[in-house]
Amino acid sequence: MATKAIKSYSLSEMKDKYIGQVGSTERDEYEYELRMDVLGRMIKTARQERNLTQEQLGQLVGVQKSQISKLESSTNSATIDTILKVFKALKADIHFNVTLENQYVKLA
C-alpha cells in the first residue's frame, strides 16, 4: 500500500490563506489585535511580578483601575503616552522598533 506524503505549511502560508495576504485589511486588523494582546500580556505579567494590583498600578499611572484592566485584556486601544507611563510605573524598559520602507529604525 502506497503512503501519501503529508504537505506541511508555514505559519505565514496559513495566515495568508485563512486571514488574508500581508497588506490586506483583514491581515492588518489581525496583526494589530495580536500586537495589542501581546502588549496586554506583557503589562499584566510585569504588574504581577511587581506584586501590584490593577488599582495600585492605575494610581501610579494616574488612571482608573478599569483602564489598566482594559489594557491587560486588550479591549482598549491605548495611547503611546499611557503605555509609556504604565511601563515607567512598572520600572520596565520599553523599546519600539519601526520599519520604514525596508529601513529598520530602533527607538529606545
Side-chain angles (χ1 to χ4, degrees), residues 43-89:
I43 291 170
K44 183 175 184 175
T45 300
R47 175 183 60 76
Q48 290 173 333
E49 286 177 0
R50 302 295 189 273
N51 294 315
L52 294 170
T53 65
Q54 289 177 338
E55 186 170 353
Q56 290 168 327
L57 179 56
Q59 289 171 349
L60 290 171
V61 176
V63 299
Q64 298 292 318
K65 172 189 177 262
S66 61
Q67 187 167 356
I68 300 299
S69 175
K70 288 177 184 177
L71 283 173
E72 290 182 356
S73 63
S74 306
T75 59
N76 183 352
S77 294
T79 65
I80 295 293
D81 185 52
T82 301
I83 293 168
L84 292 174
K85 285 180 183 178
V86 166
F87 282 106
K88 182 177 181 180

Side-chain angles (χ1 to χ4, degrees), residues 6-79:
I6 297 174
K7 170 114 171 81
S8 63
Y9 297 92
S10 69
L11 178 59
S12 181
E13 290 171 324
M14 296 298 288
K15 286 181 186 179
D16 289 347
K17 183 174 181 178
Y18 294 103
I19 298 168
Q21 296 290 319
V22 173
S24 68
T25 302
E26 295 84 7
R27 183 69 170 264
D28 288 347
E29 288 174 2
Y30 166 80
E31 298 289 345
Y32 174 78
E33 288 175 18
L34 182 60
R35 285 189 298 271
M36 290 304 293
D37 185 56
V38 169
L39 180 63
R41 289 173 190 251
M42 290 184 342
I43 291 170
K44 183 175 184 175
T45 300
R47 175 183 60 76
Q48 290 173 333
E49 286 177 0
R50 302 295 189 273
N51 294 315
L52 294 170
T53 65
Q54 289 177 338
E55 186 170 353
Q56 290 168 327
L57 179 56
Q59 289 171 349
L60 290 171
V61 176
V63 299
Q64 298 292 318
K65 172 189 177 262
S66 61
Q67 187 167 356
I68 300 299
S69 175
K70 288 177 184 177
L71 283 173
E72 290 182 356
S73 63
S74 306
T75 59
N76 183 352
S77 294
T79 65

